[in-house]
Amino acid sequence: MRCSIFGISLLLISTSVFGQKVTGKSEIFGVVVDSVSRKPMRAATISLLSAKDSSYVDATVTDGDGRFLVRNVPQGNYRLLATFIGYRNASAPVSVNTLNAALDTISMVQQANVLDEMIVKEEAPPVRIRQDTIEFNANSFKTQPNAQVEALLRKLPGVEVARDGSVKANGQAVTQVLVDGKPFFGNDPKMATRNLPADIIDKVQLYEQSSDQSQFSGMDDGNRQNTINLTIKKDMGKGYFGQNSLGAGNGLNEGSERYQGRLSVNRFNNHDGGQTRQLSVVGQANNLNQQNFSMTGDNGEVQINGNAGPPGNQMPTNIIETKAGGINYRSDGAKPKWGKRAEIAASYFANQTITTTDQESRRINVLPDRSFVTDQYNYSKNKRTNQRFNGRFDWQLDSLTSIRITPNISWQNTDYKSIANSSSYLNNGDSLNSGNTVYDSDGNRMNGFNNLLLMRKLNKPGRTLSANLNTTLNNGKADSYNRSVISFSGSDSTNADVKRIDQQSFQNNYSLENMLSLSFTERISLNKKLEIRYAYGDARNRLGREVWEKQEKTGQYIHPNMLLSNRSGSGFATHKIGSALQTSRLKYSFSVGFDLQASMLSLKNRSVDSSSSRKYFHVLPNALLNFAIAGNQSIRLQYRSRLTPPSITQLQPVPDNSNPLNISIGNPRLDPTYLNNVVLTYNSSYNAGRESIFLSTTFNQSNNYITSATRVTENGAQLTQPVNAGGYWVSNSFLSLGKTIPAIQMSVTVSANSNLTQVNSLVNSQTNRSRVVSLGSGLGIQSTGDSKLDFGLTVRISYQTAKYSLLSKQNTAFWSPYATGDVNWQLPFNWVVASDVTYHATTGRTAAYNQQFVLWNVTFAKKFMKGKEGEVRWQIFDLLNQNRSLIRNTAETFIEDVQSKVLKRYFLISFVYNLRKFGI
C-alpha cells in the first residue's frame, strides 16, 4: 500500500511539473533583421545569458517574422546573444525590472570572412543542433571548481550519470567517449568522464556514430554507437592538467584500514593546422570499491532480467581492492616516410583487483508438481590481473586511398578460491540435500581483436570500394580443484547417501574468428545509392577438459575420469551475399536490403574420433527509415535479422560438475538461433534543447532460441542442458521527458521504462513458460545555475511480476522504491560541504529479505594555495552504518534473493592537488 501511494505521489508530482507553466515575472521580446536588407531573420538562435558570467539562462529561436519571446525571466541584469550561421554575433544588454522588457531591433551583419575565421570569433550559444548532433557549450553549464567531466554531464539536459559512472543520453547507454574526436584509453567511457577535469571542456557533442565502413561508404548499415565527443578549449589545449590525491582512514565499526591514492597527469599540445600530441598518465590504488575504469571479464549467470533494482542503481555485491595504471598517447598530422599523413592513438592499461564476495541467498525452484527451497552461503576471493592495449592507426596513402587498423589485445590472470554451503528442503521443511564445496582455480586468458579497413574512392563521385577484415582470438587455460561433500536425504528422512568428490581438472579453450566483408557502392542518381556486398566468415573453436581423481594413498591426482573428460571442436563457416538500395531526401532517408547466407556448422569429438556437420540456408532481410520532422525532431525505424551459432561450451556433451548439485552438459544437436530485431526511436528537442522528448522501443523474437532443459531428481539435484525452443520474445521501452526551467535554474526529467520477457524452457520434460513484466517510473531534478549551491534529486519506483505456467503458486510480484539526492555547497573562507543520501527498500520477498536502508555520505573540504589547487577533505562514508546489498534475480526456473556483505561505515582524510598549468 505504501508503494502504491509512493507511485501515485510520484505521478502527481511529474504531472504537475510538466503540466503547469512556471509563473515568471517578466518577458523579453524583440525582432532580429538583416543589417542591409532589413529582412527578418528566421530561425536565428536567441540566448539569454547572465550579465555576471555569461552563464546560460534560457534560449529560443525567432519565428518567420524574425520575432522572439523569452518568458518567465526573473528580475536582474542579462545579456542577449543572437547567432546565425554566416552572420556576426549580435549582443545587447537587457535589464529586467518591470513586467515586460522590449528591445530595440537587433541588426545582424553578414560575415564576409572565411568559415574557419568566423568560428574562432563567434561566441557559441548554450545549445546548438547540427543535423543529428546536439552540441552543448560547456561554459554555459557551470560546475563546481575542480569537478570532473562526470559532474558537467549531470548538468546537461537529457543526460543521466549513474553512481557507478555509466552514462545515458536520452535514455540510451553511451558506449564510447571521444576526446577531440579520437579514442581516449580505447573505448572505455569512464576513462574520460572520471579522469578529465570539466573546466577544460569547450563543447560536449551527443550523436550516434556509424561504423567505420558505413561512414566511408555513405550507406547506413544500422550499426550505430551512442557517442559523446568532448572538445578541448583552445586556450587549454596546450599545457599540463590533472587531479592527484592521497588519503587514509579507518572503518569505525570494524577497525579495518582504508586507503586511496590517485594519479592523473595530462600533457596536451594541440596545434591548429599542425601536429597534435596528447599524453596522459593515470593511476589509482584503493580498497573503497572505486574504479575510474570499466571492469571487464566478470563472470555472471545469464538471467531473464538480471538485477531487479531500479535502473542506474548498480548496487554493489562485493568489496573490491584496486590497483591500476595506464598511459594514453595520441599524435595527429605526422608525416612518415611513406604515405602523406598518419594519425596514431594508442594506450596501455593494467589493473589488479581483489574481489571479496560474501553472500547469502534463498532460491525458490519451480517444478511441475512441487517446489523446493535452496539456502546457500558463498564466500569467494578472486584476484585478477588485467593488461590491455588499444590502438587506432590511420594512414592516408594518397588522395583516394586510406587504411585504418584498430587492434585491441588483453591478457588476464586469475586466482579464484571459493567456499559454498547449501541446503535444499521442501516447503514443509523435509530435507532434500545439503552440500559443501571448496573450489580453487588458477587460469590465464588472452583476448585479441583487430579490425583492418581498406578504403578506396574510385573515379566517379559516390563510387567506392572497401574491404574490412575483423579478427577475434581467444585462448585460455585453467587448472582447478573441486573438493565437495554432497549428502542426499533417504526416503525415510533418516538415512543419507553421502558422496565425496576430490578432483583436479585441466581445461583449455581456443577460438579464432575471421570475418571478411567487401562493399561496393554506386550512386545511380542524385538521391539514390546502391550497395553490393559480400562477407565470408570462419569461426573455429576448440575445448579440452581433463579430470583426474585423487588417490587416497599417495594424495596425488592420477586416476582419469573419462566420463567428465573430453576434447571437442566446432566450426561455423558462412558465405553471405546481398545488396541494399538507399534513398536520401531532404526530410527522410530509407534503405531496403537483404542477404542470402549459406552456412555450415561442424562438430568434432576428438575423444571418440567422431564428427558431423549440418548445412543451413537463410534469407536475412533488413530495412531502415530515418524521418526528420519540422524542427528538431526525428524518427528512426529499423528492422534487422541475424543468425547466431551456439558456443563450443553449449555443444560439448560433457558434464560440468563444478557445482555438484547443479550439473550442466552441452548439446551437440543445437541449431543456430535466428533472431528478428525491431527498433523504433523518436527524438525531439526544441527551444534550443530546453525541452526534450525521447522514446525508444526494442523488440526481439526467435522461434529457435537457445534455452535450458532442466531435469530435477527427487532429492533436488539438477542437470541442465541447452535446447532450441520457440516462443521467445523480449520487448523494452523507454520514455524520457526533459525540461529546463530558467526561472528557478533547474532541469526536470520524468522517465518511464518497461520490460516484457517470455521464455519457454523445459522442466522434467514439460514446457514451462515464464513471463516477466518490469515497469518503472522516475523523476529527476538537477540545479543548472552557477550559484554556490549545487544539488540534485532522483526518485524511482519499479514494479515486477513473474509468472510460471507450471506452478502458478510461485508467481510473484514486488515493488522497489529508490531515491537519491546530493548537494555541494561552497562556503566562505574556501570551505566546501558535500553530501549524498540514498534510500532503498525491498518488498514482496521472504521476511529476511524485506528491508530498507539509508546510505548517507558526508564530505568537508578546505581549499588552499594561491589558485586553490590544494584541498584537504574529511569524508565519512555510510554515516548511519546501514549500507546493504539486496538483489532479486528472476530466471527461467527459479526466483532468488541475494544479500551481500558490502562496505560499511568508514572515515577518510585526503589531500588533493589539482594540476593546472596552461600555455606552456
Side-chain angles (χ1 to χ4, degrees):
M1 182 64 184
R2 292 179 180 177
C3 292
S4 300
I5 296 175
F6 184 86
I8 294 172
S9 302
L10 175 61
L11 181 62
L12 291 176
I13 294 174
S14 307
T15 305
S16 63
V17 169
F18 284 86
Q20 66 182 359
K21 294 184 178 180
V22 178
T23 303
K25 296 182 179 180
S26 301
E27 295 181 347
I28 301 175
F29 56 90
V31 178
V32 180
V33 299
D34 184 283
S35 60
V36 177
S37 66
R38 309 304 295 174
K39 292 183 178 180
M41 301 285 294
R42 180 181 180 182
T45 300
I46 305 298
S47 302
L48 186 65
L49 309 177
S50 170
K52 179 181 178 181
D53 56 8
S54 296
S55 61
Y56 170 74
V57 177
D58 203 351
T60 186
V61 294
T62 57
D63 60 14
D65 297 324
R67 296 174 298 183
F68 65 88
L69 174 64
V70 183
R71 303 177 184 273
N72 306 315
V73 181
Q75 293 186 6
N77 296 320
Y78 301 93
R79 185 166 64 92
L80 191 137
L81 176 68
T83 59
F84 194 89
I85 296 178
Y87 286 76
R88 297 182 183 274
N89 291 347
S91 179
V94 55
S95 180
V96 177
N97 49 29
T98 58
L99 184 61
N100 295 317
L103 294 180
D104 295 334
T105 300
I106 298 175
S107 300
M108 300 194 70
V109 180
Q110 190 170 4
Q111 176 64 266
N113 296 333
V114 298
L115 181 62
D116 289 342
E117 295 177 352
M118 181 184 68
I119 293 177
V120 172
K121 295 179 180 179
E122 272 197 340
E123 180 179 1
V127 182
R128 177 176 288 172
I129 306 298
R130 298 179 182 271
Q131 296 180 351
D132 60 348
T133 299
I134 302 176
E135 183 179 88
F136 297 96
N137 180 22
N139 286 336
S140 300
F141 301 89
K142 302 298 182 180
T143 59
Q144 298 298 327
N146 302 323
Q148 302 301 297
V149 169
E150 200 174 72
L152 171 62
L153 297 181
R154 286 193 174 98
K155 296 278 189 177
L156 305 183
V159 179
E160 299 176 72
V161 181
R163 289 186 176 272
D164 70 334
S166 58
V167 181
K168 286 186 176 181
N170 293 331
Q172 298 294 308
V174 174
T175 55
Q176 71 172 350
V177 176
L178 306 177
V179 177
D180 285 333
K182 306 297 180 181
F184 187 77
F185 280 96
N187 56 356
D188 188 345
K190 294 182 186 178
M191 294 300 295
T193 61
R194 288 192 161 182
N195 289 286
L196 293 179
D199 54 10
I200 71 167
I201 304 302
D202 182 31
K203 302 289 190 302
V204 179
Q205 299 169 338
L206 309 180
Y207 56 91
E208 291 185 334
Q209 187 177 61
S210 302
S211 66
D212 292 342
Q213 195 168 23
S214 174
Q215 292 179 58
F216 171 73
S217 66
M219 297 291 293
D220 194 334
D221 58 6
N223 297 320
R224 297 188 171 218
Q225 199 171 10
N226 292 313
T227 301
I228 289 179
N229 180 44
L230 307 172
T231 66
I232 306 300
K233 294 178 179 178
K234 292 186 179 296
D235 59 343
M236 295 185 178
K238 183 179 181 180
Y240 297 86
F241 59 89
Q243 186 178 81
N244 307 276
S245 64
L246 189 65
N250 279 284
L252 302 184
N253 282 356
E254 305 169 358
S256 58
E257 295 182 350
R258 301 295 173 196
Y259 69 91
Q260 71 89 17
R262 176 178 179 179
L263 170 69
S264 176
V265 179
N266 303 270
R267 166 58 168 165
F268 280 21
N269 193 2
N270 299 345
H271 292 283
D272 293 335
Q275 187 174 357
T276 294
R277 289 181 179 175
Q278 297 177 356
L279 179 66
S280 299
V281 178
V282 298
Q284 69 171 140
N286 67 78
N287 58 356
L288 306 177
N289 274 21
Q290 295 177 1
Q291 294 85 37
N292 291 344
F293 58 94
S294 299
M295 297 181 63
T296 58
D298 292 325
N299 295 323
E301 182 175 11
V302 178
Q303 300 155 353
I304 292 179
N305 71 317
N307 185 350
N313 181 21
Q314 302 297 331
M315 184 177 293
T317 59
N318 39 47
I319 298 174
I320 303 176
E321 183 176 2
T322 302
K323 297 179 177 67
I327 183 171
N328 183 81
Y329 175 77
R330 172 193 159 197
S331 176
D332 294 353
K335 294 184 178 180
K337 294 181 179 179
W338 57 276
K340 290 188 175 181
R341 187 170 181 267
E343 296 184 6
I344 299 173
S347 67
Y348 170 80
F349 189 79
N351 67 86
Q352 182 185 86
T353 58
I354 300 177
T355 304
T356 302
T357 304
D358 193 343
Q359 293 180 333
E360 295 180 354
S361 64
R362 172 160 294 181
R363 176 180 292 190
I364 300 177
N365 301 275
V366 181
L367 298 178
D369 54 350
R370 61 181 176 137
S371 66
F372 66 93
V373 179
T374 300
D375 289 333
Q376 181 169 298
Y377 168 77
N378 177 68
Y379 177 87
S380 67
K381 181 165 287 190
N382 188 5
K383 181 179 180 181
R384 186 168 53 206
T385 303
N386 287 278
Q387 301 179 73
R388 67 190 190 204
F389 170 81
N390 297 279
R392 192 175 83 169
F393 309 98
D394 292 286
W395 286 274
Q396 188 74 40
L397 302 183
D398 54 43
S399 60
L400 301 176
T401 309
S402 60
I403 295 177
R404 172 170 293 173
I405 302 177
T406 311
N408 185 330
I409 305 173
S410 64
W411 303 266
Q412 182 182 106
N413 295 294
T414 303
D415 181 6
Y416 177 80
K417 302 180 185 300
S418 70
I419 300 174
N421 299 314
S422 65
S423 175
S424 298
Y425 51 91
L426 298 174
N427 291 332
N428 60 10
D430 290 345
S431 176
L432 292 175
N433 62 64
S434 62
N436 173 267
T437 298
V438 178
Y439 190 81
D440 300 335
S441 178
D442 296 320
N444 59 80
R445 172 176 292 275
M446 190 275 287
N447 302 310
F449 168 83
N450 184 68
N451 192 76
L452 173 62
L453 177 60
L454 174 64
M455 299 164 281
R456 173 73 177 178
K457 297 179 181 178
L458 302 180
N459 56 356
K460 180 182 177 181
R463 180 181 293 174
T464 66
L465 179 65
S466 59
N468 193 85
L469 176 61
N470 188 300
T471 302
T472 304
L473 173 66
N474 296 283
N475 189 13
K477 298 180 180 179
D479 182 6
S480 306
Y481 293 87
N482 184 359
R483 305 174 182 92
S484 302
V485 178
I486 309 301
S487 177
F488 298 100
S489 300
S491 58
D492 57 359
S493 299
T494 58
N495 298 321
D497 178 20
V498 179
K499 181 179 180 181
R500 299 181 182 275
I501 298 174
D502 195 344
Q503 300 170 342
Q504 181 183 18
S505 64
F506 299 95
Q507 181 167 304
N508 61 83
N509 56 76
Y510 171 87
S511 66
L512 175 62
E513 180 178 359
N514 287 286
M515 176 65 71
L516 174 64
S517 59
L518 304 175
S519 172
F520 174 79
T521 65
E522 178 76 17
R523 185 175 298 278
I524 58 179
S525 69
L526 183 62
N527 51 30
K528 287 184 173 60
K529 183 181 288 188
L530 177 67
E531 179 187 32
I532 300 176
R533 55 188 179 232
Y534 167 78
Y536 169 73
D538 181 58
R540 302 182 183 185
N541 304 275
R542 294 197 306 266
L543 179 60
R545 188 167 186 263
E546 298 178 359
V547 180
W548 302 81
E549 302 285 351
K550 183 179 180 180
Q551 187 185 58
E552 294 296 334
K553 292 183 179 180
T554 64
Q556 297 180 346
Y557 297 88
I558 58 176
H559 296 301
N561 187 323
M562 303 307 296
L563 179 63
L564 301 179
S565 302
N566 183 263
R567 291 184 299 117
S568 300
S570 69
F572 190 68
T574 61
H575 292 272
K576 183 167 63 175
I577 186 171
S579 64
L581 178 64
Q582 177 177 287
T583 301
S584 299
R585 299 282 187 177
L586 181 62
K587 293 289 187 179
Y588 66 89
S589 67
F590 68 88
S591 63
V592 178
F594 69 94
D595 294 287
L596 304 177
Q597 178 170 306
S599 55
M600 183 175 70
L601 177 64
S602 58
L603 305 173
K604 186 172 185 179
N605 190 332
R606 292 181 172 87
S607 297
V608 296
D609 194 23
S610 65
S611 61
S612 63
S613 63
R614 298 189 295 273
K615 295 182 179 181
Y616 304 91
F617 181 81
H618 292 89
V619 179
L620 304 175
N622 58 81
L624 176 65
L625 170 65
N626 287 309
F627 188 74
I629 311 175
N632 300 313
Q633 303 180 65
S634 64
I635 295 176
R636 182 163 67 96
L637 177 63
Q638 175 182 317
Y639 167 75
R640 289 270 159 184
S641 56
R642 68 175 186 268
L643 199 66
T644 304
S647 67
I648 183 63
T649 304
Q650 293 173 321
L651 292 169
Q652 189 180 45
V654 178
D656 180 0
N657 68 337
S658 302
N659 183 350
L661 292 174
N662 192 351
I663 298 174
S664 61
I665 185 173
N667 180 4
R669 297 180 298 276
L670 286 176
D671 291 324
T673 297
Y674 187 97
L675 189 68
N676 297 292
N677 170 260
V678 179
V679 178
L680 173 65
T681 62
Y682 169 76
N683 190 18
S684 175
S685 177
Y686 45 99
N687 286 344
R690 190 180 62 183
E691 299 182 37
S692 62
I693 301 174
F694 184 86
L695 172 65
S696 174
T697 300
T698 304
F699 181 79
N700 293 286
Q701 182 273 337
S702 177
N703 290 324
N704 64 341
Y705 184 74
I706 297 179
T707 183
S708 63
T710 303
R711 187 166 69 249
V712 184
T713 64
E714 289 296 325
N715 51 29
Q718 300 184 34
L719 177 66
T720 303
Q721 185 178 41
V723 295
N724 291 104
Y728 168 83
W729 56 266
V730 177
S731 177
N732 290 284
S733 297
F734 181 87
L735 173 65
S736 174
L737 307 175
K739 183 173 184 177
T740 300
I741 309 175
I744 56 177
Q745 294 188 329
M746 288 198 312
S747 65
V748 181
T749 302
V750 175
S751 62
N753 63 279
S754 67
N755 173 275
L756 293 82
T757 302
Q758 175 178 291
V759 178
N760 288 338
S761 59
L762 297 176
V763 180
N764 288 352
S765 301
Q766 297 187 42
T767 300
N768 177 41
R769 176 170 295 170
S770 58
R771 289 181 177 175
V772 177
V773 178
S774 299
L775 304 174
S777 180
L779 171 66
I781 299 174
Q782 180 67 52
S783 63
T784 59
D786 66 330
S787 64
K788 301 294 183 179
L789 183 64
D790 187 18
F791 61 90
L793 174 66
T794 300
V795 181
R796 296 191 184 99
I797 185 167
S798 61
Y799 174 73
Q800 179 173 299
T801 64
K803 297 182 179 181
Y804 302 89
S805 61
L806 284 182
L807 197 60
S808 59
K809 293 182 180 179
Q810 296 304 318
N811 295 345
T812 182
F814 60 92
W815 295 85
S816 295
Y818 169 84
T820 182
D822 62 85
V823 62
N824 189 298
W825 193 4
Q826 302 284 331
L827 299 175
F829 307 107
N830 297 326
W831 281 93
V832 180
V833 177
S835 179
D836 60 87
V837 181
T838 300
Y839 168 80
H840 189 93
T842 56
T843 65
R845 312 179 186 189
T846 54
Y849 296 90
N850 280 331
Q851 302 184 29
Q852 56 182 347
F853 66 91
V854 175
L855 175 62
W856 185 10
N857 305 320
V858 180
T859 300
F860 299 93
K862 170 67 174 179
K863 297 181 179 180
F864 59 97
M865 300 179 68
K866 183 178 180 180
K868 301 180 183 179
E869 299 95 344
E871 185 177 341
V872 176
R873 294 178 182 174
W874 293 265
Q875 177 187 2
I876 301 178
F877 176 84
D878 189 19
L879 180 63
L880 304 180
N881 202 31
Q882 294 185 7
N883 192 26
R884 301 171 199 170
S885 175
L886 302 169
I887 292 177
R888 167 160 285 196
N889 297 320
T890 306
E892 300 161 7
T893 57
F894 67 83
I895 301 170
E896 180 182 56
D897 292 316
V898 181
Q899 181 168 317
S900 305
K901 182 179 179 180
V902 292
L903 281 177
K904 304 285 279 188
R905 180 168 52 190
Y906 67 82
F907 168 83
L908 192 76
I909 182 171
S910 304
F911 168 72
V912 181
Y913 177 73
N914 297 282
L915 175 64
R916 299 288 191 277
K917 292 184 181 299
F918 297 103
I920 59 175

